[in-house]
Amino acid sequence: MTDATVSTLVTATGPEPALGAASSSRAPNRKSRKKNAAKDPRRKITWDRVWAQRALLAMAVPLLLYQILFKYVPAYGWAIAFQDYKPGRGSIWDQEWVGFENFVNLFTGVNGERFARVVVNTLGQSILTLIVGTLGAIILALLLNEVKNQPFKRIMQNITYMPHFLSWVIVASLASVALSLPSSGGFINQALMGLNIVDEPVLFLTESNYFWGIVAGTNLWKELGWNTILYLAAITAIDPTLYEAAEVDGAGRYRKMFNITLPGIRPTIVVLLIINSGWILSTNFELPYFLGNGLVSERAETIDVFVLRYGYELGNYSLAVVAGIFKTIVAIILVGSANLAAKRLNQESLV
């Protein structure tokens, strides 16, 4: 019997259709498994992929160890918040335990009034700095994106980036000189008087109402160029064909900017706002400390300055730890709330 005859008999008796049906039934199963794997990201992680990315994972190990060593291991020091801690008594476990007495002392009495004031100052400086810094970075990124002369664009980027690499001590000194009297090199007063905006020099660093704006403006000058990096990167990820289609429809630069560029970087803006919300109570320490004085202390003193002056300098370490715990708890609540709000508004979120 020849091979042709065998194949004819097999086809006639029915096994061939059965095999075809089996193969066709397995195909949808394979497709469904692929779809399920695509829906469940946990199934994508395999040992083969881990081994293929071993170099990246090895580079991440030092950063992970750094976070554990300097962020999580010191957390055992939170026990000081529940003690009357005195360094001379020995280790942290040989101290007198006082329960929540330090929490009561921080939020009530004279300390409570002072702490409430510094919380308001911290929130005011941080929120104003965040709003001004975010708007400034977005506007600068949009303007730099419209610059077609590449050499000029690079020069402008370098000029705006450079202040980021100055220490805050130098920045505070520069701000102090800039806001001083014209006889001391205060060019801001010179400019205001030259433009006839003011008739006599303004003592900026002695007027408490100006202090929040001084902090926000100084932060803006230092970090403006650096904060634009992520926004410029997000702009480069926008599909160029969208601009071409808009140009064909007769859209100008401003129309493309508002209808394409801003919606394209909106996820980046939302994610950065969520991340920065966790730092609301961790405002810059150097500027309030170096620029503040007795005349503006009611508006200048922040939580970090309060912890230094009334915690560490007076030897009240337990009070300082309680303030740190308060900042951590509030930061977690703010990040979680901002992330939940972004989800409810169908925006990008961290989790």
Side-chain angles (χ1 to χ4, degrees):
M1 185 178 296
T2 63
D3 293 340
T5 308
V6 172
S7 61
T8 303
L9 290 175
V10 170
T11 304
T13 53
E16 183 65 22
L19 288 173
S23 62
S24 62
S25 64
R26 282 195 299 267
N29 290 335
R30 284 195 298 268
K31 292 180 180 179
S32 63
R33 284 197 297 269
K34 289 181 180 179
K35 289 182 180 179
N36 293 333
K39 292 179 181 179
D40 189 1
R42 292 175 298 179
R43 299 190 62 180
K44 294 182 179 181
I45 301 176
T46 61
W47 287 110
D48 292 336
R49 294 195 63 185
V50 171
W51 179 253
Q53 299 179 5
R54 60 187 182 278
L56 297 175
L57 294 174
M59 288 190 291
V61 169
L63 297 177
L64 179 61
L65 293 177
Y66 173 84
Q67 293 293 325
I68 294 174
L69 182 62
F70 292 99
K71 302 297 183 181
Y72 292 96
V73 173
Y76 80 94
W78 279 15
I80 296 176
F82 306 94
Q83 302 170 344
D84 181 17
Y85 182 78
K86 303 295 181 184
R89 290 177 181 167
S91 69
I92 191 176
W93 309 116
D94 298 330
Q95 305 295 322
E96 178 184 354
W97 296 85
V98 296
F100 290 93
E101 181 179 335
N102 293 313
F103 290 85
V104 175
N105 292 335
L106 180 64
F107 297 108
T108 60
V110 177
N111 284 332
E113 296 177 1
R114 187 180 295 117
F115 189 70
R117 187 182 71 237
V118 301
V119 169
V120 173
N121 291 336
T122 305
L123 289 173
Q125 294 180 24
S126 297
I127 294 174
L128 184 61
T129 299
L130 179 60
I131 294 173
V132 173
T134 301
L135 291 177
I138 293 172
I139 293 172
L140 180 60
L142 293 175
L143 295 177
L144 288 175
N145 184 59
E146 296 298 322
V147 175
K148 305 305 179 183
N149 190 329
Q150 292 301 319
F152 177 76
K153 181 177 180 179
R154 294 192 188 97
I155 292 173
M156 292 300 300
Q157 286 178 305
N158 290 329
I159 292 174
T160 55
Y161 292 166
M162 284 191 292
H164 170 78
F165 299 99
L166 297 176
S167 69
W168 280 108
V169 178
I170 296 175
V171 171
S173 300
L174 293 174
S176 178
V177 173
L179 296 169
S180 62
L181 296 176
S183 59
S184 302
F187 65 87
I188 293 180
N189 269 314
Q190 290 179 354
L192 293 177
M193 294 175 65
L195 296 172
N196 295 323
I197 297 177
V198 296
D199 296 328
E200 56 184 14
V202 179
L203 301 176
F204 290 102
L205 296 179
T206 62
E207 294 288 340
S208 59
N209 293 331
Y210 295 142
F211 195 82
W212 290 4
I214 291 172
V215 171
T218 308
N219 273 280
L220 177 66
W221 175 77
K222 184 178 186 297
E223 301 294 344
L224 177 61
W226 188 259
N227 291 337
T228 60
I229 294 177
L230 291 176
Y231 296 116
L232 287 173
I235 290 174
T236 58
I238 299 175
D239 190 357
T241 58
L242 297 176
Y243 294 101
E244 296 173 1
E247 191 170 353
V248 171
D249 292 338
R253 281 192 174 188
Y254 293 106
R255 182 61 61 184
K256 289 187 288 185
M257 187 184 299
F258 285 103
N259 291 352
I260 298 177
T261 307
L262 280 176
I265 64 175
R266 184 172 56 190
T268 304
I269 297 173
V270 173
V271 170
L272 290 178
L273 287 176
I274 293 173
I275 295 174
N276 290 329
S277 65
W279 297 95
I280 289 294
L281 291 183
S282 297
T283 184
N284 182 274
F285 166 78
E286 289 83 356
L287 285 181
Y289 183 73
F290 289 114
L291 295 180
N293 54 68
L295 297 175
V296 296
S297 60
E298 290 188 358
R299 302 295 297 273
E301 195 173 50
T302 59
I303 294 178
D304 292 335
V305 178
F306 171 85
V307 168
L308 176 65
R309 290 176 177 170
Y310 304 102
Y312 296 120
E313 289 183 357
L314 299 180
N316 195 348
Y317 301 103
S318 299
L319 187 71
V321 175
V322 171
I325 294 174
F326 172 76
K327 287 174 56 178
T328 302
I329 294 175
V330 172
I332 294 173
I333 294 174
L334 288 175
V335 172
S337 301
N339 189 73
L340 181 61
K343 278 187 175 181
R344 294 289 177 86
L345 296 174
N346 296 322
Q347 301 294 329
E348 293 292 330
S349 59
L350 295 178
V351 181

